[in-house]
Amino acid sequence: MSIASDMIRGHTDTIILAHLLSGDSYGYKINRSIAEQTGGQYELKEATLYTAFRRLEQMGLITSYWGDENTRARRRYYSITQAGVQEYHRMLGEWEQSQRLIETLITP
């Protein structure tokens, strides 16, 4: 599992942007979704997730706002920008190219 985690770790930004393509969300919900989609095999560390949010926001790929929650805890929501959508597609293309190269190199 550590090898898989190492391979996935380099794609944190792409994973976050992919989640935001379907709508605005907040950190805990995104992390829970990642854990559910991977059957509990992968989960981002909280520090990694929020560092990525700050980086993506500084790059103009996402924006954030405070939700007006009726619960005790206010949540910071994130949404993808048009630049973020474009960057996601660029990153996805890079991933697909990398995947093809790796398959070529490891398949007998």
Side-chain angles (χ1 to χ4, degrees):
M1 182 158 108
S2 64
I3 293 172
S5 292
D6 287 344
M7 289 181 73
I8 294 170
R9 193 172 297 118
H11 301 281
T12 300
D13 292 355
T14 311
I15 292 166
I16 291 169
L17 292 175
H19 275 60
L20 293 175
L21 284 173
S22 62
D24 297 2
S25 193
Y26 53 95
Y28 179 81
K29 185 175 180 183
I30 291 172
N31 212 13
R32 288 284 45 115
S33 177
I34 291 167
E36 288 172 12
Q37 287 179 328
T38 62
Q41 293 181 63
Y42 188 72
E43 187 174 333
L44 289 169
K45 289 186 168 78
E46 191 173 317
T48 300
L49 182 64
Y50 288 98
T51 298
F53 284 146
R54 281 192 299 281
R55 179 177 56 253
L56 292 167
E57 195 163 19
Q58 289 172 350
M59 294 169 65
L61 303 179
I62 65 172
T63 58
S64 66
Y65 59 92
W66 289 103
D68 186 21
E69 299 292 327
N70 294 330
T71 62
R72 288 184 188 87
R74 284 184 57 189
R75 293 181 177 130
R76 189 168 191 89
Y77 284 82
Y78 298 90
S79 62
I80 192 167
T81 64
Q82 186 58 42
V85 172
Q86 292 172 351
E87 182 65 6
Y88 164 77
H89 288 292
R90 186 195 68 74
M91 291 173 164
L92 182 61
E94 269 186 14
W95 162 251
E96 290 168 343
Q97 181 181 8
S98 298
Q99 184 180 16
R100 284 190 302 271
L101 287 172
I102 291 170
E103 285 175 2
T104 299
L105 294 170
I106 66 172
T107 303

